[in-house]
Amino acid sequence: MGLSTRYGLVGIAALALLAAVHQLRGMELSPQPSRDYLLGVLPNFAAAIAISFVLLGIWGDQNPNADFASAKRPFILCASISGLGLIGWELFQITSSSLVFDLHDVGATIVGIGVAIILFYVLKPRVTQEP
């Protein structure tokens, strides 16, 4: 399986998580503090992963002969765009009267970028040695 496929599938899975959370947030559920907290921060967590891997999947598609080593720098760029963009959006909310700034969303974004880094290394193609 090529790198662009691996990265694209992770991006799609993170987008599916984001859509599921959005669907759950729209339902009228009885209040439960833990669930409500998770539904509040999971969009930032999922978006941090999704943006990183969707962008990286696009890069991988445009560079079909790329290997894992050459994907490290683009991944750092994609994760930086994702993290800084989401944190910037959260900070922008401080200036808005209709949006709500939440420091926990910033934390969820940072954790999401951390998980994206772990996933990037987990997706590293295994090298098999022939006898």
Side-chain angles (χ1 to χ4, degrees):
M1 180 182 315
L3 288 179
S4 66
T5 304
R6 289 172 191 246
Y7 300 148
L9 288 174
V10 173
I12 290 170
L15 287 171
L17 174 62
L18 186 61
V21 170
H22 181 70
Q23 183 72 25
L24 287 170
R25 288 176 79 170
M27 299 173 82
E28 292 186 27
L29 303 169
S30 61
Q32 288 184 342
S34 297
R35 183 194 61 221
D36 295 343
Y37 175 78
L38 285 175
L39 290 178
V41 298
L42 272 174
N44 285 67
F45 172 81
I49 298 168
I51 294 168
S52 298
F53 281 98
V54 167
L55 292 176
L56 191 60
I58 293 168
W59 173 85
D61 190 50
Q62 294 175 352
N63 297 281
N65 296 327
D67 60 358
F68 177 76
S70 64
K72 287 181 183 178
R73 180 174 282 158
F75 172 74
I76 291 169
L77 178 63
C78 293
S80 297
I81 290 169
S82 176
L84 292 174
L86 288 167
I87 291 171
W89 172 250
E90 198 64 37
L91 292 174
F92 170 76
Q93 293 178 22
I94 293 172
T95 66
S96 173
S97 61
S98 60
L99 300 172
V100 178
F101 170 79
D102 185 359
L103 192 58
H104 294 270
D105 286 346
V106 173
T109 297
I110 293 168
V111 171
I113 294 297
V115 170
I117 292 167
I118 292 167
L119 288 171
F120 178 72
Y121 282 97
V122 166
L123 293 172
K124 178 180 178 180
R126 306 287 183 243
V127 179
T128 57
Q129 295 179 350
E130 294 184 27

